[in-house]
Each structure stands twice: as structure tokens, then as C-alpha cells.
Amino acid sequence: EAQVTQNPRYLITVTGKKLTVTCSQNMNHEYMSWYRQDPGLGLRQIYYSMNVEVTDKGDVPEGYKVSRKEKRNFPLILESPSPNQTSLYFCASSLSEGLLNTEAFFGQGTRLTVV
Amino acid sequence: GQNIDQPTEMTATEGAIVQINCTYQTSGFNGLFWYQQHAGEAPTFLSYNVLDGLEEKGRFSSFLSRSKGYSYLLLKELQMKDSASYLCAVAPNDYKLSFGAGTTVTVRA
């Protein structure tokens, strides 16, 4: 089954404790992206990757890191999480290198709480 | 930055038609997307417009006017399962995607 898989689905952590949210897709998609979703603000793009070893900042990259060593995986790293990073996170992938006329497939989301 | 506006909430009756408007001011334009998101779930793709005009897909249609920075999503013959948030998103270039805050549609019997 074609899908984008995120883990974990739920995570409660403490301020400053490094964490990684994994994202994997099995559709051989070139483009992958991370978003956070907050009430009243909608989805905001954190980082995106056009292909292996090619990543760039979205609108809200501060406090996050990503890597794209393999096509299928695009982990999101929070080196020192803070309470303002409490949010619902979505990973998404698209077939082509760019967004032109391509739908994004989203993972099921990771609800992160930083205390 | 990018500015994408859509109403926060709309309510309609089963079987009716609802139109969700989206206006945008972005640094560039490479297409406009509509996504549907049910509560607690991931967004799913509904439509994509890059040229002016109406795109119809079953009960859902999406319209774009690039000169006015305006789009709408039309939902016809509303069903209870259409109760969801509808997200308008604009790609200002090939790689970035900016979303509006979403419109929550409630369908009443």
C-alpha cells in the first residue's frame, strides 16, 4: 500500500532533550516536506527536500534540522526542543521534484508536546 | 511573506451547495491547491489550479482568477461526510507551499 509513515504518532518530551521524528515513503517520490499545524495558523512549511541530499528552508525552519540521505526517508530533528514547538507535525511527499501539478501525500501526523 | 485568507467557519445543510472563498497575495504563483482534512486526520488532495477557470471533479469544483488573486472551492450536494476543514494552499514557486488557516465546514441534517 502506497503511504507516508511517520513515527511516533504521539510524543511527550522535556525541554532540551533531543528528538527525531521519522518519515518514510514507499512511493519513490522525489519531493518531501515537513509542516507543523497550529490552531488558527494552519499548516506552515518547516523544511523541504527536492531530492536526495538537497534540502531547503520553508517558512518556519528555526529550531529544526532535516536530512535526506536516502530517497525514502526524511527525518525531522529537534536538537533542543522548547515548549513553543508543541504542535501537530505532518510529513508529506510528492512524485516530482517540484510542486507543479502534483498532489502531496501526507503522513498521519505526529502530535508533539514539549513540557 | 505570503498572505492567504479564507473564512474560518461555514455551516450548510445536507444536499445544499457551499462555496469556500480563498484570496491570496504571494511573492509568486505556481499553482493553487485545495486539500480536505477531517478532524484528527491527514490532509488529502482535492484539486489543483494553475490557469484561470473552473476545474470540475464530481461534486467538487475549484475556480481560479489569477488577476484577482482569488479562488473558490464549490461543494455540491453536500453530504454529512463532507464535514471537514478545507485548506487553500498556494505554491509561490516550484518548491514552497503556503497554506491558509483552513475553513471548517459543518454539514447539518
Side-chain angles (χ1 to χ4, degrees):
Chain A
E1 182 191 351
Q3 59 187 4
V4 178
T5 304
Q6 292 178 229
N7 279 297
R9 292 287 312 277
Y10 302 91
L11 178 62
I12 301 174
T13 190
V14 295
T15 299
K17 185 177 181 184
K18 180 180 178 179
L19 66 92
T20 299
V21 184
T22 63
C23 174
S24 181
Q25 50 93 3
N26 62 0
M27 296 170 279
N28 202 37
H29 283 175
E30 306 275 350
Y31 182 94
M32 297 185 75
S33 185
W34 276 102
Y35 301 87
R36 60 178 288 174
Q37 187 172 35
D38 302 289
L41 297 177
L43 283 158
R44 291 180 291 167
Q45 195 171 31
I46 303 170
Y47 268 95
Y48 60 90
S49 169
M50 295 82 88
N51 214 323
V52 175
E53 302 290 4
V54 184
T55 63
D56 206 348
K57 296 175 182 177
D59 292 324
V60 288
E62 295 77 21
Y64 305 95
K65 285 174 57 177
V66 292
S67 68
R68 187 94 181 272
K69 294 187 171 62
E70 311 159 281
K71 195 181 232 186
R72 63 183 293 128
N73 295 323
F74 190 45
L76 179 71
I77 303 153
L78 285 72
E79 294 270 4
S80 183
S82 62
N84 64 12
Q85 293 178 297
T86 292
S87 187
L88 178 59
Y89 290 87
F90 285 102
C91 177
S93 72
S94 304
L95 178 60
S96 69
E97 197 170 290
L99 286 167
L100 190 66
N101 199 20
T102 58
E103 66 175 282
F105 294 84
F106 284 80
Q108 287 305 105
T110 296
R111 188 164 292 281
L112 172 66
T113 302
V114 184
V115 297
Chain B
Q2 324 299 337
N3 193 31
I4 299 165
D5 288 318
Q6 49 182 131
T8 305
E9 294 179 329
M10 301 183 77
T11 302
T13 305
E14 200 173 11
I17 298 173
V18 70
Q19 177 175 313
I20 306 168
N21 296 325
C22 172
T23 58
Y24 63 89
Q25 288 177 302
T26 54
S27 54
F29 184 80
N30 214 32
L32 186 143
F33 299 78
W34 284 96
Y35 283 84
Q36 180 190 59
Q37 186 178 25
H38 285 101
E41 297 184 9
T44 55
F45 173 83
L46 287 178
S47 69
Y48 171 78
N49 295 71
V50 68
L51 299 176
D52 289 352
L54 188 68
E55 296 275 346
E56 295 186 84
K57 213 187 262 190
R59 293 188 299 113
F60 293 3
S61 304
S62 56
F63 171 83
L64 175 67
S65 168
R66 288 171 297 170
S67 62
K68 294 180 179 169
Y70 169 70
S71 172
Y72 68 72
L73 180 71
L74 196 69
L75 286 63
K76 294 181 248 186
E77 300 167 21
L78 277 174
Q79 302 175 8
M80 299 301 287
K81 68 178 181 180
D82 297 330
S83 290
S85 284
Y86 292 86
L87 315 178
C88 174
V90 174
N93 57 39
D94 256 358
Y95 304 113
K96 285 193 170 184
L97 194 60
S98 294
F99 284 81
T103 300
T104 300
V105 171
T106 303
V107 180
R108 296 198 169 143

PDB file of all heavy atoms in Angstrom, chain A residues 4-13 18-24 34 75-76 78 87-91 107-113:
ATOM      1  N   VAL A   4       2.779   7.266   3.400  1.00  0.00           N
ATOM      2  CA  VAL A   4       3.803   8.017   4.102  1.00  0.00           C
ATOM      3  C   VAL A   4       3.639   7.667   5.580  1.00  0.00           C
ATOM      4  O   VAL A   4       2.543   7.822   6.129  1.00  0.00           O
ATOM      5  CB  VAL A   4       3.631   9.531   3.885  1.00  0.00           C
ATOM      6  CG1 VAL A   4       4.691  10.294   4.661  1.00  0.00           C
ATOM      7  CG2 VAL A   4       3.701   9.871   2.403  1.00  0.00           C
ATOM      8  N   THR A   5       4.704   7.197   6.188  1.00  0.00           N
ATOM      9  CA  THR A   5       4.641   6.713   7.566  1.00  0.00           C
ATOM     10  C   THR A   5       5.482   7.584   8.479  1.00  0.00           C
ATOM     11  O   THR A   5       6.672   7.778   8.225  1.00  0.00           O
ATOM     12  CB  THR A   5       5.137   5.258   7.647  1.00  0.00           C
ATOM     13  OG1 THR A   5       4.384   4.443   6.748  1.00  0.00           O
ATOM     14  CG2 THR A   5       4.977   4.729   9.068  1.00  0.00           C
ATOM     15  N   GLN A   6       4.861   8.092   9.510  1.00  0.00           N
ATOM     16  CA  GLN A   6       5.564   8.894  10.499  1.00  0.00           C
ATOM     17  C   GLN A   6       5.601   8.138  11.822  1.00  0.00           C
ATOM     18  O   GLN A   6       4.636   7.467  12.196  1.00  0.00           O
ATOM     19  CB  GLN A   6       4.828  10.219  10.762  1.00  0.00           C
ATOM     20  CG  GLN A   6       4.809  11.187   9.643  1.00  0.00           C
ATOM     21  CD  GLN A   6       4.015  12.439   9.993  1.00  0.00           C
ATOM     22  OE1 GLN A   6       3.167  12.858   9.218  1.00  0.00           O
ATOM     23  NE2 GLN A   6       4.293  13.058  11.136  1.00  0.00           N
ATOM     24  N   ASN A   7       6.686   8.316  12.534  1.00  0.00           N
ATOM     25  CA  ASN A   7       6.788   7.767  13.884  1.00  0.00           C
ATOM     26  C   ASN A   7       7.613   8.690  14.776  1.00  0.00           C
ATOM     27  O   ASN A   7       8.592   9.277  14.306  1.00  0.00           O
ATOM     28  CB  ASN A   7       7.473   6.391  13.846  1.00  0.00           C
ATOM     29  CG  ASN A   7       6.492   5.302  13.468  1.00  0.00           C
ATOM     30  OD1 ASN A   7       5.527   5.049  14.177  1.00  0.00           O
ATOM     31  ND2 ASN A   7       6.720   4.683  12.320  1.00  0.00           N
ATOM     32  N   PRO A   8       7.192   8.852  16.041  1.00  0.00           N
ATOM     33  CA  PRO A   8       5.988   8.265  16.633  1.00  0.00           C
ATOM     34  C   PRO A   8       4.737   9.061  16.281  1.00  0.00           C
ATOM     35  O   PRO A   8       4.835  10.141  15.707  1.00  0.00           O
ATOM     36  CB  PRO A   8       6.290   8.356  18.131  1.00  0.00           C
ATOM     37  CG  PRO A   8       7.116   9.600  18.247  1.00  0.00           C
ATOM     38  CD  PRO A   8       7.962   9.665  17.006  1.00  0.00           C
ATOM     39  N   ARG A   9       3.563   8.562  16.607  1.00  0.00           N
ATOM     40  CA  ARG A   9       2.324   9.295  16.404  1.00  0.00           C
ATOM     41  C   ARG A   9       2.103  10.305  17.528  1.00  0.00           C
ATOM     42  O   ARG A   9       1.524  11.368  17.313  1.00  0.00           O
ATOM     43  CB  ARG A   9       1.135   8.337  16.360  1.00  0.00           C
ATOM     44  CG  ARG A   9       1.110   7.423  15.143  1.00  0.00           C
ATOM     45  CD  ARG A   9       0.742   8.177  13.869  1.00  0.00           C
ATOM     46  NE  ARG A   9      -0.421   9.024  14.008  1.00  0.00           N
ATOM     47  CZ  ARG A   9      -1.671   8.602  13.902  1.00  0.00           C
ATOM     48  NH1 ARG A   9      -1.920   7.331  13.654  1.00  0.00           N
ATOM     49  NH2 ARG A   9      -2.674   9.453  14.033  1.00  0.00           N
ATOM     50  N   TYR A  10       2.530   9.960  18.706  1.00  0.00           N
ATOM     51  CA  TYR A  10       2.386  10.846  19.862  1.00  0.00           C
ATOM     52  C   TYR A  10       3.695  10.840  20.639  1.00  0.00           C
ATOM     53  O   TYR A  10       4.323   9.798  20.790  1.00  0.00           O
ATOM     54  CB  TYR A  10       1.253  10.370  20.790  1.00  0.00           C
ATOM     55  CG  TYR A  10      -0.089  10.283  20.118  1.00  0.00           C
ATOM     56  CD1 TYR A  10      -0.501   9.097  19.525  1.00  0.00           C
ATOM     57  CD2 TYR A  10      -0.933  11.381  20.064  1.00  0.00           C
ATOM     58  CE1 TYR A  10      -1.732   9.006  18.901  1.00  0.00           C
ATOM     59  CE2 TYR A  10      -2.168  11.300  19.435  1.00  0.00           C
ATOM     60  CZ  TYR A  10      -2.551  10.115  18.860  1.00  0.00           C
ATOM     61  OH  TYR A  10      -3.775  10.034  18.238  1.00  0.00           O
ATOM     62  N   LEU A  11       4.092  12.018  21.132  1.00  0.00           N
ATOM     63  CA  LEU A  11       5.327  12.108  21.899  1.00  0.00           C
ATOM     64  C   LEU A  11       5.223  13.255  22.879  1.00  0.00           C
ATOM     65  O   LEU A  11       4.877  14.368  22.507  1.00  0.00           O
ATOM     66  CB  LEU A  11       6.521  12.319  20.953  1.00  0.00           C
ATOM     67  CG  LEU A  11       7.889  12.479  21.622  1.00  0.00           C
ATOM     68  CD1 LEU A  11       8.244  11.223  22.393  1.00  0.00           C
ATOM     69  CD2 LEU A  11       8.955  12.764  20.563  1.00  0.00           C
ATOM     70  N   ILE A  12       5.526  12.944  24.151  1.00  0.00           N
ATOM     71  CA  ILE A  12       5.654  13.971  25.172  1.00  0.00           C
ATOM     72  C   ILE A  12       7.105  13.951  25.615  1.00  0.00           C
ATOM     73  O   ILE A  12       7.623  12.893  25.986  1.00  0.00           O
ATOM     74  CB  ILE A  12       4.720  13.712  26.372  1.00  0.00           C
ATOM     75  CG1 ILE A  12       3.268  13.669  25.892  1.00  0.00           C
ATOM     76  CG2 ILE A  12       4.904  14.778  27.448  1.00  0.00           C
ATOM     77  CD1 ILE A  12       2.272  13.284  26.987  1.00  0.00           C
ATOM     78  N   THR A  13       7.755  15.105  25.586  1.00  0.00           N
ATOM     79  CA  THR A  13       9.160  15.169  25.951  1.00  0.00           C
ATOM     80  C   THR A  13       9.416  16.406  26.804  1.00  0.00           C
ATOM     81  O   THR A  13       8.529  17.233  27.011  1.00  0.00           O
ATOM     82  CB  THR A  13      10.048  15.179  24.690  1.00  0.00           C
ATOM     83  OG1 THR A  13      11.415  15.009  25.080  1.00  0.00           O
ATOM     84  CG2 THR A  13       9.910  16.493  23.939  1.00  0.00           C
ATOM     85  N   LYS A  18      16.938  16.169  22.960  1.00  0.00           N
ATOM     86  CA  LYS A  18      16.936  15.974  21.509  1.00  0.00           C
ATOM     87  C   LYS A  18      15.988  14.861  21.091  1.00  0.00           C
ATOM     88  O   LYS A  18      15.911  13.815  21.751  1.00  0.00           O
ATOM     89  CB  LYS A  18      18.354  15.650  21.040  1.00  0.00           C
ATOM     90  CG  LYS A  18      18.474  15.424  19.532  1.00  0.00           C
ATOM     91  CD  LYS A  18      19.914  15.110  19.131  1.00  0.00           C
ATOM     92  CE  LYS A  18      20.008  14.846  17.633  1.00  0.00           C
ATOM     93  NZ  LYS A  18      21.408  14.558  17.221  1.00  0.00           N
ATOM     94  N   LEU A  19      15.277  15.085  19.994  1.00  0.00           N
ATOM     95  CA  LEU A  19      14.388  14.048  19.495  1.00  0.00           C
ATOM     96  C   LEU A  19      14.370  14.054  17.970  1.00  0.00           C
ATOM     97  O   LEU A  19      14.693  15.059  17.322  1.00  0.00           O
ATOM     98  CB  LEU A  19      12.967  14.228  20.041  1.00  0.00           C
ATOM     99  CG  LEU A  19      12.186  15.454  19.602  1.00  0.00           C
ATOM    100  CD1 LEU A  19      11.348  15.158  18.362  1.00  0.00           C
ATOM    101  CD2 LEU A  19      11.273  15.940  20.729  1.00  0.00           C
ATOM    102  N   THR A  20      13.987  12.916  17.422  1.00  0.00           N
ATOM    103  CA  THR A  20      13.855  12.762  15.968  1.00  0.00           C
ATOM    104  C   THR A  20      12.494  12.174  15.654  1.00  0.00           C
ATOM    105  O   THR A  20      12.080  11.194  16.276  1.00  0.00           O
ATOM    106  CB  THR A  20      14.947  11.836  15.410  1.00  0.00           C
ATOM    107  OG1 THR A  20      16.231  12.407  15.687  1.00  0.00           O
ATOM    108  CG2 THR A  20      14.789  11.650  13.910  1.00  0.00           C
ATOM    109  N   VAL A  21      11.818  12.775  14.702  1.00  0.00           N
ATOM    110  CA  VAL A  21      10.571  12.220  14.174  1.00  0.00           C
ATOM    111  C   VAL A  21      10.896  11.656  12.796  1.00  0.00           C
ATOM    112  O   VAL A  21      11.420  12.370  11.928  1.00  0.00           O
ATOM    113  CB  VAL A  21       9.474  13.291  14.066  1.00  0.00           C
ATOM    114  CG1 VAL A  21       8.166  12.652  13.600  1.00  0.00           C
ATOM    115  CG2 VAL A  21       9.270  13.995  15.400  1.00  0.00           C
ATOM    116  N   THR A  22      10.602  10.392  12.613  1.00  0.00           N
ATOM    117  CA  THR A  22      10.953   9.776  11.335  1.00  0.00           C
ATOM    118  C   THR A  22       9.804   9.879  10.343  1.00  0.00           C
ATOM    119  O   THR A  22       8.631   9.947  10.714  1.00  0.00           O
ATOM    120  CB  THR A  22      11.327   8.302  11.520  1.00  0.00           C
ATOM    121  OG1 THR A  22      10.183   7.586  12.008  1.00  0.00           O
ATOM    122  CG2 THR A  22      12.479   8.150  12.500  1.00  0.00           C
ATOM    123  N   CYS A  23      10.169   9.906   9.066  1.00  0.00           N
ATOM    124  CA  CYS A  23       9.196   9.930   7.981  1.00  0.00           C
ATOM    125  C   CYS A  23       9.728   9.049   6.860  1.00  0.00           C
ATOM    126  O   CYS A  23      10.877   9.230   6.431  1.00  0.00           O
ATOM    127  CB  CYS A  23       8.965  11.345   7.484  1.00  0.00           C
ATOM    128  SG  CYS A  23       7.890  11.433   6.026  1.00  0.00           S
ATOM    129  N   SER A  24       8.903   8.154   6.383  1.00  0.00           N
ATOM    130  CA  SER A  24       9.319   7.265   5.312  1.00  0.00           C
ATOM    131  C   SER A  24       8.184   7.130   4.305  1.00  0.00           C
ATOM    132  O   SER A  24       7.028   6.996   4.681  1.00  0.00           O
ATOM    133  CB  SER A  24       9.674   5.894   5.903  1.00  0.00           C
ATOM    134  OG  SER A  24      10.101   5.017   4.895  1.00  0.00           O
ATOM    135  N   TRP A  34       8.179  18.848   5.468  1.00  0.00           N
ATOM    136  CA  TRP A  34       7.657  18.825   6.823  1.00  0.00           C
ATOM    137  C   TRP A  34       6.843  20.088   7.088  1.00  0.00           C
ATOM    138  O   TRP A  34       7.252  21.192   6.704  1.00  0.00           O
ATOM    139  CB  TRP A  34       8.776  18.753   7.864  1.00  0.00           C
ATOM    140  CG  TRP A  34       9.266  17.372   8.128  1.00  0.00           C
ATOM    141  CD1 TRP A  34      10.404  16.797   7.655  1.00  0.00           C
ATOM    142  CD2 TRP A  34       8.618  16.394   8.933  1.00  0.00           C
ATOM    143  NE1 TRP A  34      10.497  15.515   8.117  1.00  0.00           N
ATOM    144  CE2 TRP A  34       9.425  15.237   8.911  1.00  0.00           C
ATOM    145  CE3 TRP A  34       7.438  16.365   9.680  1.00  0.00           C
ATOM    146  CZ2 TRP A  34       9.093  14.063   9.608  1.00  0.00           C
ATOM    147  CZ3 TRP A  34       7.104  15.214  10.367  1.00  0.00           C
ATOM    148  CH2 TRP A  34       7.930  14.077  10.332  1.00  0.00           C
ATOM    149  N   PRO A  75      13.903  12.463   7.969  1.00  0.00           N
ATOM    150  CA  PRO A  75      13.671  12.693   9.401  1.00  0.00           C
ATOM    151  C   PRO A  75      13.710  14.164   9.784  1.00  0.00           C
ATOM    152  O   PRO A  75      14.447  14.949   9.196  1.00  0.00           O
ATOM    153  CB  PRO A  75      14.818  11.922  10.060  1.00  0.00           C
ATOM    154  CG  PRO A  75      15.894  11.885   9.021  1.00  0.00           C
ATOM    155  CD  PRO A  75      15.203  11.835   7.699  1.00  0.00           C
ATOM    156  N   LEU A  76      12.933  14.509  10.780  1.00  0.00           N
ATOM    157  CA  LEU A  76      12.900  15.860  11.356  1.00  0.00           C
ATOM    158  C   LEU A  76      13.555  15.785  12.726  1.00  0.00           C
ATOM    159  O   LEU A  76      13.153  14.983  13.566  1.00  0.00           O
ATOM    160  CB  LEU A  76      11.458  16.350  11.483  1.00  0.00           C
ATOM    161  CG  LEU A  76      11.269  17.742  12.083  1.00  0.00           C
ATOM    162  CD1 LEU A  76      11.748  18.811  11.098  1.00  0.00           C
ATOM    163  CD2 LEU A  76       9.792  17.973  12.438  1.00  0.00           C
ATOM    164  N   LEU A  78      14.803  17.745  16.224  1.00  0.00           N
ATOM    165  CA  LEU A  78      14.737  18.885  17.125  1.00  0.00           C
ATOM    166  C   LEU A  78      15.885  18.727  18.103  1.00  0.00           C
ATOM    167  O   LEU A  78      15.855  17.867  18.986  1.00  0.00           O
ATOM    168  CB  LEU A  78      13.392  18.936  17.865  1.00  0.00           C
ATOM    169  CG  LEU A  78      12.171  19.409  17.071  1.00  0.00           C
ATOM    170  CD1 LEU A  78      11.720  18.367  16.040  1.00  0.00           C
ATOM    171  CD2 LEU A  78      11.028  19.759  18.012  1.00  0.00           C
ATOM    172  N   SER A  87       3.212  20.998  18.918  1.00  0.00           N
ATOM    173  CA  SER A  87       2.418  21.167  17.703  1.00  0.00           C
ATOM    174  C   SER A  87       2.063  19.804  17.125  1.00  0.00           C
ATOM    175  O   SER A  87       2.503  18.762  17.613  1.00  0.00           O
ATOM    176  CB  SER A  87       3.220  21.979  16.679  1.00  0.00           C
ATOM    177  OG  SER A  87       2.438  22.296  15.543  1.00  0.00           O
ATOM    178  N   LEU A  88       1.287  19.839  16.052  1.00  0.00           N
ATOM    179  CA  LEU A  88       0.999  18.650  15.259  1.00  0.00           C
ATOM    180  C   LEU A  88       1.859  18.732  13.999  1.00  0.00           C
ATOM    181  O   LEU A  88       1.786  19.714  13.263  1.00  0.00           O
ATOM    182  CB  LEU A  88      -0.492  18.606  14.899  1.00  0.00           C
ATOM    183  CG  LEU A  88      -0.982  17.461  14.029  1.00  0.00           C
ATOM    184  CD1 LEU A  88      -0.690  16.114  14.682  1.00  0.00           C
ATOM    185  CD2 LEU A  88      -2.466  17.613  13.738  1.00  0.00           C
ATOM    186  N   TYR A  89       2.655  17.715  13.762  1.00  0.00           N
ATOM    187  CA  TYR A  89       3.593  17.725  12.648  1.00  0.00           C
ATOM    188  C   TYR A  89       3.165  16.737  11.572  1.00  0.00           C
ATOM    189  O   TYR A  89       2.777  15.607  11.869  1.00  0.00           O
ATOM    190  CB  TYR A  89       5.002  17.353  13.147  1.00  0.00           C
ATOM    191  CG  TYR A  89       5.612  18.420  14.008  1.00  0.00           C
ATOM    192  CD1 TYR A  89       5.362  18.452  15.380  1.00  0.00           C
ATOM    193  CD2 TYR A  89       6.423  19.412  13.457  1.00  0.00           C
ATOM    194  CE1 TYR A  89       5.902  19.449  16.178  1.00  0.00           C
ATOM    195  CE2 TYR A  89       6.969  20.403  14.248  1.00  0.00           C
ATOM    196  CZ  TYR A  89       6.696  20.414  15.606  1.00  0.00           C
ATOM    197  OH  TYR A  89       7.229  21.411  16.391  1.00  0.00           O
ATOM    198  N   PHE A  90       3.277  17.192  10.328  1.00  0.00           N
ATOM    199  CA  PHE A  90       2.970  16.338   9.187  1.00  0.00           C
ATOM    200  C   PHE A  90       4.150  16.290   8.230  1.00  0.00           C
ATOM    201  O   PHE A  90       4.752  17.306   7.913  1.00  0.00           O
ATOM    202  CB  PHE A  90       1.761  16.871   8.409  1.00  0.00           C
ATOM    203  CG  PHE A  90       0.444  16.633   9.084  1.00  0.00           C
ATOM    204  CD1 PHE A  90      -0.196  17.660   9.764  1.00  0.00           C
ATOM    205  CD2 PHE A  90      -0.168  15.388   9.028  1.00  0.00           C
ATOM    206  CE1 PHE A  90      -1.421  17.449  10.385  1.00  0.00           C
ATOM    207  CE2 PHE A  90      -1.390  15.164   9.633  1.00  0.00           C
ATOM    208  CZ  PHE A  90      -2.010  16.199  10.321  1.00  0.00           C
ATOM    209  N   CYS A  91       4.422  15.087   7.770  1.00  0.00           N
ATOM    210  CA  CYS A  91       5.358  14.872   6.689  1.00  0.00           C
ATOM    211  C   CYS A  91       4.550  14.626   5.421  1.00  0.00           C
ATOM    212  O   CYS A  91       3.448  14.048   5.488  1.00  0.00           O
ATOM    213  CB  CYS A  91       6.222  13.653   7.012  1.00  0.00           C
ATOM    214  SG  CYS A  91       7.398  13.197   5.726  1.00  0.00           S
ATOM    215  N   GLY A 107       1.558  12.064   5.733  1.00  0.00           N
ATOM    216  CA  GLY A 107       1.554  11.064   6.789  1.00  0.00           C
ATOM    217  C   GLY A 107       0.435  11.340   7.776  1.00  0.00           C
ATOM    218  O   GLY A 107      -0.267  12.359   7.667  1.00  0.00           O
ATOM    219  N   GLN A 108       0.265  10.461   8.755  1.00  0.00           N
ATOM    220  CA  GLN A 108      -0.846  10.558   9.694  1.00  0.00           C
ATOM    221  C   GLN A 108      -0.619  11.578  10.803  1.00  0.00           C
ATOM    222  O   GLN A 108      -1.517  11.836  11.594  1.00  0.00           O
ATOM    223  CB  GLN A 108      -1.136   9.186  10.304  1.00  0.00           C
ATOM    224  CG  GLN A 108      -1.813   8.253   9.310  1.00  0.00           C
ATOM    225  CD  GLN A 108      -3.083   8.870   8.725  1.00  0.00           C
ATOM    226  OE1 GLN A 108      -3.102   9.321   7.572  1.00  0.00           O
ATOM    227  NE2 GLN A 108      -4.140   8.923   9.510  1.00  0.00           N
ATOM    228  N   GLY A 109       0.553  12.156  10.855  1.00  0.00           N
ATOM    229  CA  GLY A 109       0.788  13.209  11.835  1.00  0.00           C
ATOM    230  C   GLY A 109       1.464  12.704  13.101  1.00  0.00           C
ATOM    231  O   GLY A 109       1.290  11.553  13.508  1.00  0.00           O
ATOM    232  N   THR A 110       2.222  13.607  13.711  1.00  0.00           N
ATOM    233  CA  THR A 110       2.867  13.343  14.998  1.00  0.00           C
ATOM    234  C   THR A 110       2.500  14.478  15.938  1.00  0.00           C
ATOM    235  O   THR A 110       2.796  15.642  15.653  1.00  0.00           O
ATOM    236  CB  THR A 110       4.399  13.282  14.849  1.00  0.00           C
ATOM    237  OG1 THR A 110       4.746  12.176  14.026  1.00  0.00           O
ATOM    238  CG2 THR A 110       5.066  13.150  16.214  1.00  0.00           C
ATOM    239  N   ARG A 111       1.836  14.123  17.017  1.00  0.00           N
ATOM    240  CA  ARG A 111       1.452  15.153  17.992  1.00  0.00           C
ATOM    241  C   ARG A 111       2.549  15.222  19.054  1.00  0.00           C
ATOM    242  O   ARG A 111       2.732  14.290  19.825  1.00  0.00           O
ATOM    243  CB  ARG A 111       0.108  14.852  18.629  1.00  0.00           C
ATOM    244  CG  ARG A 111      -0.389  15.997  19.495  1.00  0.00           C
ATOM    245  CD  ARG A 111      -1.855  15.898  19.827  1.00  0.00           C
ATOM    246  NE  ARG A 111      -2.745  16.091  18.698  1.00  0.00           N
ATOM    247  CZ  ARG A 111      -3.074  17.271  18.183  1.00  0.00           C
ATOM    248  NH1 ARG A 111      -2.559  18.372  18.690  1.00  0.00           N
ATOM    249  NH2 ARG A 111      -3.905  17.348  17.173  1.00  0.00           N
ATOM    250  N   LEU A 112       3.271  16.344  19.051  1.00  0.00           N
ATOM    251  CA  LEU A 112       4.403  16.531  19.950  1.00  0.00           C
ATOM    252  C   LEU A 112       4.047  17.537  21.039  1.00  0.00           C
ATOM    253  O   LEU A 112       3.542  18.617  20.750  1.00  0.00           O
ATOM    254  CB  LEU A 112       5.620  17.041  19.174  1.00  0.00           C
ATOM    255  CG  LEU A 112       6.839  17.464  20.005  1.00  0.00           C
ATOM    256  CD1 LEU A 112       7.442  16.265  20.710  1.00  0.00           C
ATOM    257  CD2 LEU A 112       7.872  18.155  19.129  1.00  0.00           C
ATOM    258  N   THR A 113       4.327  17.152  22.273  1.00  0.00           N
ATOM    259  CA  THR A 113       4.167  18.061  23.406  1.00  0.00           C
ATOM    260  C   THR A 113       5.511  18.193  24.095  1.00  0.00           C
ATOM    261  O   THR A 113       6.122  17.181  24.462  1.00  0.00           O
ATOM    262  CB  THR A 113       3.132  17.534  24.417  1.00  0.00           C
ATOM    263  OG1 THR A 113       1.884  17.351  23.746  1.00  0.00           O
ATOM    264  CG2 THR A 113       2.946  18.503  25.568  1.00  0.00           C
TER     265      THR A 113
END
